[in-house]
Amino acid sequence: MSRLPWDMTGKVVVITGGNSGIGLGFARGIAKAGGAVVIWGRRAERNEQAAAELRGLGAKVLAQTVDVSDEPAVIAAMAEAVASMGRVDGVIANAGIMNAANSFTDMSGDFYRRLIEINQFGAFYTAREGARHMRARAESGDPGGSIVFCASLSAVTGSVAMQHYNASKGAMASMARGIAVEMGKYGIRCNTVCPGYTISDTVKDTGPGTPLGDQVRERNPLGRFGTAEDFEGIGVYFMSDASRFHTGDLVLVDGGWMANAGKSNLASGRRG
C-alpha cells in the first residue's frame, strides 16, 4: 500500500443510526481519517446536526432521512447515496432499538416482531443494498468493500425479558459470517462489532451507588462505561485497508467485560 492503511481518503461509508451514540462515534473516526460519510437516521434535524459536526472535521457528508425497517426506502436511499457520492466503499449497520418485556412468557408476537423489523431486517436490507453496489463495482473491475454489523454483547449472552433483542443481535453475527463467505470473491469483507455497556440514548451511566453503575465499575476491568469516542478507531479499522484480510469475525469492544469471568452475572444482566 502506498499510503497509510487507515487513510480513508476517497472512501465513502454509509452509517445507519449515524446521528448519535456509537453510530456518530464511527462517523467521527471515519471523518477524522479523511473519509466521506453518509448518515442515515429517522430524524432529519438530528441528522443535520451530526452532518454539520462532521463537516466541521473536514468531511464530505450526505444526510438522509431513512427508516431502515422500510425496504423500499433503504433501496432508494442507497441508490441516492451512490449517485450523490459516486460510490459506497463501506456500510455500518448500526441502527436499532432496545426494549424489554415483563418476561419471556409475556412477550407478544407484535412486540417481538417490531424490534426484529428494525434491528434484524433493517440490518439485512442495508447490508444487502451495500453489497449489491460493491459487487457491481467488483464486476466492473473495482473490487472491495467492507460491511460491519454493530451488534451487542447480547449476541453472545442471554438477557432477561429481552430474547427478541438477543435474537436480533445474534442474527447479525450469523449473517456476517455468511456474507463474508459468499462475498469474499468480490473483495467484500463483513464483520460484527459487539459493544459492551456504552453510554447512549438507551444506556445511561447512573453513577456509583446504583445497581448498573456499580455493576459496570466492578465487572469491567477498565472500570467505566464505554463512550462513542471508544468506537472511532474500530470503525476506521474495519472501513479502511488496515483490515483488508480480516473478515467473518466477531469483535468485542467491551472494556474487558467478557474476559472477566470471575465477575460473571450474565443471566440477569441487560446490556447495550
Side-chain angles (χ1 to χ4, degrees):
M1 290 179 282
S2 60
R3 63 183 187 182
L4 294 173
W6 53 84
D7 182 358
M8 295 287 297
T9 302
K11 294 186 182 293
V12 179
V13 179
V14 174
I15 306 172
T16 71
N19 60 19
S20 64
I22 293 172
L24 184 52
F26 289 136
R28 288 186 187 117
I30 290 161
K32 291 176 183 177
V37 181
V38 179
I39 295 294
W40 286 9
R42 290 184 292 179
R43 288 174 281 185
E45 181 179 356
R46 199 162 185 175
N47 290 348
E48 288 302 331
Q49 290 172 349
E53 177 187 338
L54 297 170
R55 291 184 185 114
L57 296 173
K60 181 179 181 181
V61 184
L62 172 66
Q64 297 174 282
T65 303
V66 185
D67 177 353
V68 296
S69 69
D70 183 339
E71 184 176 8
V74 170
I75 293 170
M78 190 66 72
E80 180 186 351
V82 172
S84 177
M85 306 297 272
R87 61 188 292 120
V88 167
D89 299 278
V91 169
I92 302 178
N94 169 76
I97 61 172
M98 181 173 65
N99 53 29
N102 291 326
S103 73
F104 174 63
T105 53
D106 292 333
M107 190 178 294
S108 71
D110 286 341
F111 185 83
Y112 189 102
R113 188 176 299 108
R114 181 52 186 156
L115 181 141
I116 293 294
E117 285 174 349
I118 296 171
N119 292 14
Q120 184 175 329
F121 278 84
F124 159 63
Y125 300 146
T126 303
R128 183 195 65 197
E129 293 309 301
R132 282 175 169 171
H133 165 67
M134 295 172 194
R135 176 177 174 172
R137 273 200 297 100
E139 290 173 339
S140 298
D142 183 12
S146 179
I147 299 168
V148 163
F149 293 107
C150 186
S152 162
L153 294 186
S154 292
V156 294
T157 66
S159 304
V160 172
M162 294 179 67
Q163 290 79 9
H164 59 330
Y165 188 72
N166 294 140
S168 72
K169 297 302 185 178
M172 288 181 172
S174 294
M175 185 160 39
R177 290 189 291 270
I179 293 169
V181 170
E182 181 175 347
M183 295 290 108
K185 62 186 176 182
Y186 304 108
I188 301 167
R189 297 170 286 107
C190 190
N191 294 281
T192 303
V193 171
C194 291
Y197 281 107
T198 302
I199 297 169
S200 67
D201 289 345
T202 54
V203 177
K204 307 297 183 184
D205 181 356
T206 50
T210 64
L212 180 60
D214 285 347
Q215 184 185 27
V216 170
R217 287 168 173 80
E218 293 171 7
R219 166 75 185 268
N220 195 314
L222 293 183
R224 64 173 178 86
F225 286 74
T227 67
E229 289 74 20
D230 294 320
F231 292 84
E232 293 183 10
I234 195 72
V236 171
Y237 171 71
F238 275 127
M239 291 295 108
S240 71
D241 292 337
S243 61
R244 64 181 188 167
F245 200 59
H246 193 167
T247 194
D249 199 7
L250 182 151
V251 176
L252 305 179
V253 183
D254 64 352
W257 177 278
M258 291 295 289
N260 195 4
K263 292 284 187 178
S264 180
N265 188 25
L266 299 179
S268 62
R270 295 177 181 171
R271 56 194 55 82

